[in-house]
Amino acid sequence: MTAATHSTLFPQVPASADAVLDGLDPEQREVATALNGPVCVLAGAGTGKTRAITHRIAYGVRSGLLQPASVLAVTFTNRAAGEMRGRLRQLGAGGVQARTFHSAALRQLQYFWPKAVGGELPRLLERKVQVVAEAAARCGVRLDRNELRDVTAEIEWAKVTQTVPEDYPAAAAKCGRDVPRDPAETARIYGTYEQLKRDRGTIDFEDVLLLTVGVLQDRHDIAETVRRQYQHFVVDEYQDVSPLQQRLLELWLGDRDNLCVVGDASQTIYSFTGATPDHLLNFRLRHPHATVVKLVRDYRSTPQVVHLANGLLSQARGRAAEHRLELISQRGPGPEPVYGEYADEPAEAEGTARRVRDLIAAGIPASEIAILYRINAQSEVYEQALADAGVPYQLRGAERFFERPEVREAGLLLRGAARAGGHSDPQLAGAEDVPSQVRAVLGTRGWTAEPPAGSGAVRDRWESLAALVRLAEDFVRSRPEATLADLVAELDERASAQHAPTVEGVTLASLHAAKGLEWDAVFLVGLTEGMLPITYAKTDEQIEEERRLLYVGVTRARVHLSLSWALSRTPGGRPSRRPSRFLNGLRPGSAAPRPGSAGAAGGRGGIERGGGAPATRKRRGPVRCRVCGRTLTDAGEIKLMRCEDCPCELDEALYERLRDWRAEQARLLGQPAFCVFTDKTLLAIAEAVPGTESELAGISGVGGRKLAAFGADVLALCAGEEPTSEDVSQDTSEESPEK
């Protein structure tokens, strides 16, 4: 079975409805044929979710069960919607509406506005930042470009969570948001922004959803018209739905339940925008008779990459972790992930660039290689290292470092200071060396010795300026006689050298920007405490979202995966940094934390039909090492509940007493000793030292018959008492032991 990984550009349209199902695995086929009632598809990374839902729609259309115009498929980006429409055309199901939430809502709003309100729909603001800036000015607040972006993002969050201006401070506090400015100040700007829009008869993109919800709630006749048009709904990336989008979906549905949702709680990484996996995780509560299908066959990544991804989430905690999926690779074996520890950040970047160059020389296209990092400010050192190595690159989701507004502005200021000379420029008074001069100049534009609290544009701006300060320090360390003019010339050379061709370049991207993409080779860099998890991730849920962000990064790799970190920032610096806690138990030589709560409710793939009755025999969840959390497959390790080479706390005296007792029981039974308990089971008992029957029963190898026959003796031995053995039945031999 295969999933949609690499396909031909113009595949042949399937000859029939049944031909649409060809090539689907059993779980994907179940998704494609479950056309009635609510369906929830829990789809792990690389498991072919888009393939499953597009084939579902196409099968329904081609078999005559669905009319193309009656289906509305919604997703979150124009790129994803376009890809879905393209696949549907290739499957012979043209005419199906595949749109983003905003696009679908805007289309309906434009059509129904004259009837619902009268006149023409207000003009849509393409960019709201100008109006936010004016609102701030009217409130007596001056915002720079980055602060403006932060406040705009807060207004957008408030609107998608259906929070009005006066409730914003309380709502932000309740959600534990890292607000970029005083909440009361932001609320005033928000309220003024809304008033300005009303005065000018304009709306923004969030208003499109809010107004559509309002029309459908207030005008039942219009709601019924929409519901007659659309009979079946499919929602992709359902873990990213905001409360406002969920409300719109409910209004589209009405009292019907022909809804198919697809998502993965372990890939929820946009909660700061209002996205929440709660709607996905609560789907079965809202729809008790839903069919739930779990896709866990990973067609993207090798077993080695999948093993690391599973291990990463095995330590996860929280509700999303309880519903995680245990991926099973469907590909042949590949190389083991590579872990790299470097003395400093430039060494890490240079080492990464060398490995990238080696992969390209080995035949991997540059466009099939990605370097992923936590924040955009990390890109500069990798841009430089790739340029020095002669490797073309392209940035995704961010401007080139030297094209960022704050970097360009800083360059102009430094050039002006260098031209004026240190002694004639008042802001450089007292700055004796080049780094001090740079810090003085950039201090006028937001650089401080300590980073600002919280996240967002202010932090991104600071990171860019801090990168320039570090570059100045490194430059003078290598050229002690250098002047500020020399540094400016160096910056100019670096900027011009990095105008590399981008058509076939290595992708540089943040982990957030990499969502939904995949490459043959992925380098995850800068994996240190304070960067991943990021410093401002304080709460348990924020930490877990950082873990999921790394999981998204790992699962972008098909074959080659590299994870690296640097012990210090600059050459010769104090090696005070520590590798990310998320790598504990995964990287060689690291101790594992206690296993998290994952695995109980997620686990393996399968199908559960309405009412909760499983369609197939229920499988036990994966057994994990109680020390490092790794999934266990060896029968002996499963009995011990730990890896053979993981440290244990064995009560050796108890183990010897158990062995002596077992020998006597075997003699009485006239059977080999392992028919009583195997060595591994005795070890597990001596390590766990159970105090109750339920604790003893939880040890692999202690079944119901053996518990009845030997439980009292074993618990007595564990309590340091003498056993009171009675005759035992030879029925215990029926439980096949593992030697």
Side-chain angles (χ1 to χ4, degrees):
M1 304 295 179
T2 61
T5 51
H6 296 284
S7 60
T8 58
L9 191 59
F10 298 105
Q12 186 174 359
V13 175
S16 65
D18 288 340
V20 171
L21 304 178
D22 291 346
L24 300 182
D25 67 33
E27 291 79 24
Q28 291 171 343
R29 181 179 286 256
E30 178 67 23
V31 174
T33 55
L35 295 173
N36 294 312
V39 177
C40 179
V41 184
L42 303 176
T47 57
K49 66 178 180 65
T50 305
R51 178 180 176 85
I53 58 176
T54 52
H55 281 67
R56 178 184 194 269
I57 296 170
Y59 177 73
V61 170
R62 297 289 298 276
S63 64
L65 298 174
L66 301 179
Q67 295 301 313
S70 73
V71 180
L72 178 59
V74 288
T75 187
F76 285 83
T77 66
N78 289 321
R79 180 183 61 81
E83 179 187 357
M84 192 177 294
R85 288 193 296 269
R87 291 199 191 193
L88 289 169
R89 283 194 302 270
Q90 293 168 357
L91 293 170
V96 172
Q97 294 293 315
R99 297 180 174 273
T100 64
F101 271 100
H102 282 90
S103 172
L106 180 60
R107 197 162 182 257
Q108 293 174 19
L109 199 59
Q110 288 171 330
Y111 183 82
F112 290 111
W113 187 266
K115 179 178 180 181
V117 181
E120 293 186 359
L121 182 69
R123 180 174 59 86
L124 182 64
L125 285 174
E126 293 294 333
R127 284 173 51 82
K128 61 172 68 70
V129 289
Q130 289 95 340
V131 183
V132 175
E134 185 176 345
R138 291 198 177 191
C139 293
V141 179
R142 185 173 181 178
L143 301 176
D144 66 22
R145 179 178 179 275
N146 296 289
E147 292 169 329
L148 184 59
R149 192 179 78 183
D150 281 345
V151 171
T152 301
E154 286 302 296
I155 292 173
E156 290 172 349
W157 173 82
K159 298 185 76 166
V160 301
T161 55
Q162 301 175 82
T163 303
V164 296
E166 54 267 30
D167 292 342
Y168 167 77
K174 182 179 179 181
C175 294
R177 284 185 71 78
D178 253 327
V179 295
R181 298 188 69 85
D182 176 66
E185 183 180 77
T186 300
R188 290 198 306 274
I189 297 172
Y190 177 16
T192 306
Y193 165 77
E194 291 296 308
Q195 185 60 52
L196 284 172
K197 287 197 290 97
R198 286 193 293 270
D199 292 345
R200 296 169 183 178
T202 58
I203 59 175
D204 60 26
F205 276 98
E206 288 70 42
D207 290 329
V208 170
L209 299 182
L210 285 164
L211 290 170
T212 305
V213 165
V215 168
L216 296 178
Q217 283 180 161
D218 296 342
R219 292 291 300 267
H220 297 289
D221 56 332
I222 292 176
E224 286 306 312
T225 301
V226 172
R227 291 165 191 161
R228 283 195 299 271
Q229 170 71 47
Y230 296 116
Q231 307 287 320
H232 300 268
F233 296 86
V234 177
V235 184
D236 193 13
E237 302 287 4
Y238 194 54
Q239 79 278 352
D240 290 334
V241 165
S242 70
L244 180 56
Q245 290 164 332
Q246 175 64 23
R247 180 58 185 145
L248 177 59
L249 178 62
E250 291 167 354
L251 289 166
W252 283 340
L253 276 166
D255 58 2
R256 301 165 301 167
D257 62 1
N258 281 328
L259 170 66
C260 175
V261 301
V262 189
D264 179 8
S266 295
Q267 296 189 67
T268 305
I269 60 173
Y270 293 111
S271 65
F272 59 89
T273 67
T276 170
D278 289 348
H279 306 300
L280 176 67
L281 300 179
N282 292 336
F283 191 84
R284 196 65 177 273
L285 296 177
R286 295 196 310 276
H287 304 281
H289 300 290
T291 297
V292 178
V293 184
K294 296 178 182 178
L295 303 183
V296 298
R297 302 174 198 246
D298 189 322
Y299 298 94
R300 175 187 299 159
S301 304
T302 64
Q304 287 76 13
V305 173
V306 167
H307 180 72
L308 176 57
N310 287 338
L312 179 61
L313 285 190
S314 70
Q315 307 297 336
R317 299 177 182 275
R319 191 164 180 232
E322 293 171 359
H323 293 262
R324 79 179 193 87
L325 299 167
E326 183 87 4
L327 300 178
I328 304 171
S329 176
Q330 306 298 298
R331 295 189 56 156
E336 290 290 337
V338 175
Y339 296 87
E341 181 173 279
Y342 295 88
D344 50 68
E345 287 183 5
E348 182 182 7
E350 291 164 10
T352 300
R354 283 195 301 271
R355 292 204 59 228
V356 166
R357 190 173 55 194
D358 291 343
L359 288 176
I360 294 173
I364 297 179
S367 59
E368 285 294 346
I369 302 173
I371 299 174
L372 307 181
Y373 35 75
R374 176 61 178 85
I375 60 174
N376 287 326
Q378 291 173 272
S379 75
E380 190 272 335
V381 68
Y382 291 94
E383 293 178 52
Q384 182 62 44
L386 291 174
D388 290 345
V391 175
Y393 65 88
Q394 54 185 329
L395 276 93
R396 181 178 182 87
E399 298 157 299
R400 294 174 181 272
F401 180 81
F402 285 102
E403 292 174 3
R404 295 172 190 166
E406 63 269 23
V407 175
R408 289 202 306 269
E409 181 186 27
L412 291 173
L413 291 173
L414 291 172
R415 186 173 293 106
R419 189 179 301 116
H423 298 292
S424 59
D425 191 331
Q427 69 182 356
L428 299 185
E432 298 297 330
D433 56 20
V434 172
S436 298
Q437 293 171 345
V438 171
R439 287 191 285 267
V441 171
L442 300 189
T444 66
R445 290 298 183 268
W447 178 85
T448 55
E450 295 296 325
S455 58
V458 172
R459 177 66 181 240
D460 288 346
R461 177 186 176 87
W462 182 90
E463 293 284 1
S464 294
L465 298 179
L468 288 175
V469 172
R470 293 195 297 268
L471 192 148
E473 293 168 347
D474 295 343
F475 181 65
V476 172
R477 192 176 291 113
S478 62
R479 291 179 53 185
E481 75 289 351
T483 65
L484 186 57
D486 294 329
L487 175 64
V488 170
E490 173 70 11
L491 293 176
D492 289 341
E493 288 181 13
R494 285 173 176 250
S496 61
Q498 289 169 24
H499 291 166
T502 60
V503 177
E504 272 298 315
V506 171
T507 299
L508 291 174
S510 70
L511 288 164
H512 281 103
K515 178 74 166 62
L517 304 174
E518 59 185 85
W519 295 269
D520 284 343
V522 169
F523 291 81
L524 302 176
V525 299
L527 303 181
T528 60
E529 286 290 303
M531 190 56 73
L532 197 70
I534 198 76
T535 305
Y536 47 77
K538 303 294 186 184
T539 67
D540 289 345
E541 180 48 42
Q542 288 169 342
I543 295 293
E544 287 306 315
E545 182 148 339
E546 294 287 299
R547 187 194 307 275
R548 294 193 295 268
L549 193 55
L550 180 56
Y551 174 79
V552 166
V554 168
T555 54
R556 300 310 94 194
R558 298 190 191 107
V559 181
H560 301 277
L561 178 62
S562 174
L563 305 96
S564 63
W565 57 93
L567 298 179
S568 71
R569 178 176 59 80
T570 58
R574 188 164 62 89
S576 58
R577 290 179 172 178
R578 291 182 293 119
S580 169
R581 72 189 73 173
F582 301 145
L583 301 182
N584 290 346
L586 301 175
R587 61 184 177 87
S590 63
R594 294 181 62 185
S597 60
R604 301 285 181 173
I607 302 161
E608 294 180 4
R609 303 195 188 281
T616 56
R617 182 180 176 183
K618 186 177 180 181
R619 302 181 183 180
R620 292 183 61 184
V623 178
R624 305 184 190 286
C625 173
R626 54 190 165 86
V627 180
C628 72
R630 183 177 69 85
T631 301
L632 302 177
T633 55
D634 177 76
E637 291 184 341
I638 290 174
K639 277 186 176 292
L640 288 176
M641 292 291 289
R642 65 171 175 82
C643 306
E644 286 278 9
D645 53 356
C646 276
C648 66
E649 297 180 1
L650 173 66
D651 187 331
E652 295 185 3
L654 173 58
Y655 181 59
E656 290 304 319
R657 291 199 303 274
L658 287 168
R659 285 178 61 87
D660 292 343
W661 167 83
R662 182 183 65 171
E664 177 61 17
Q665 297 301 310
R667 185 187 65 77
L668 293 173
L669 287 169
Q671 291 184 348
F674 66 75
C675 288
V676 180
F677 285 122
T678 66
D679 287 345
K680 288 285 172 58
T681 301
L682 286 190
L683 275 172
I685 293 171
E687 289 181 13
V689 194
T692 64
E693 278 198 2
S694 61
E695 291 176 358
L696 179 58
I699 295 174
S700 180
V702 183
R705 294 189 184 93
K706 291 189 178 183
L707 185 64
F710 305 126
D713 280 6
V714 171
L715 290 173
L717 288 165
C718 290
E721 302 168 356
E722 289 298 319
T724 55
S725 299
E726 301 176 358
D727 281 347
V728 292
S729 167
Q730 296 193 17
D731 275 354
T732 57
S733 63
E734 293 179 10
E735 296 179 50
S736 58
E738 286 122 354
K739 298 182 181 179

